[in-house]
Amino acid sequence: QVQLVESGGGLVQAGGSLRLSCGASGRTFSSYAMAWFRQAPGKEREFVAAISWRGGSTYYADSVKGRFTISRDNAKNTVYLQMNSLQPEDTAVYYCAAREIWDATLFGADEYDYWGQGTQVTVSS
């Protein structure tokens, strides 16, 4: 069992930056691949970024590639999402998620076993 708690959301102007954090407790954090998803009102939850157990591999949605960076600190049981050049279309609730398997199914929300409660990111134009 893993418990996940996100923080760092807020209101920012277009072009600004935010860093989200997701702290984990429970079973060994380094045993889990981690990801960030987001869900805007009226839309399905969508993949944003994922990182492998030791951080050696990362994947990004095309919509955030070059602007967002996912990283992790296993000593602190924390995964981060640095978001730069934010745009109004990035407005959503951002969730972190965990799973033990690192494979081609990592882009699907249904493939993750543990979720945080979400943190709101609002980007004003």
Side-chain angles (χ1 to χ4, degrees):
Q1 193 80 1
V2 176
Q3 292 78 43
L4 303 173
V5 179
E6 302 96 335
S7 61
L11 174 64
V12 64
Q13 288 188 331
S17 298
L18 283 174
R19 188 176 82 156
L20 306 183
S21 300
C22 174
S25 61
R27 293 184 63 185
T28 306
F29 177 70
S30 59
S31 299
Y32 291 87
M34 301 297 297
W36 288 94
F37 286 77
R38 66 186 182 186
Q39 188 166 19
K43 294 187 177 181
E44 293 188 353
R45 193 167 297 190
E46 66 172 354
F47 172 82
V48 174
I51 188 166
S52 59
W53 307 286
R54 294 185 180 87
S57 297
T58 57
Y59 283 98
Y60 296 92
D62 288 343
S63 59
V64 306
K65 203 171 295 183
R67 301 188 297 123
F68 290 12
T69 303
I70 188 171
S71 60
R72 67 189 296 163
D73 185 338
N74 286 345
K76 295 183 178 180
N77 287 0
T78 302
V79 62
Y80 305 98
L81 185 68
Q82 178 66 44
M83 306 185 294
N84 299 328
S85 301
L86 283 161
Q87 299 301 316
E89 53 266 34
D90 295 315
T91 295
V93 177
Y94 283 71
Y95 299 88
C96 70
R99 63 184 297 213
E100 293 186 45
I101 299 172
W102 179 259
D103 66 14
T105 65
L106 62 87
F107 304 105
D110 291 345
E111 304 294 336
Y112 285 79
D113 302 309
Y114 305 103
W115 291 87
Q117 83 289 348
T119 185
Q120 176 71 47
V121 171
T122 303
V123 184
S124 63
S125 57

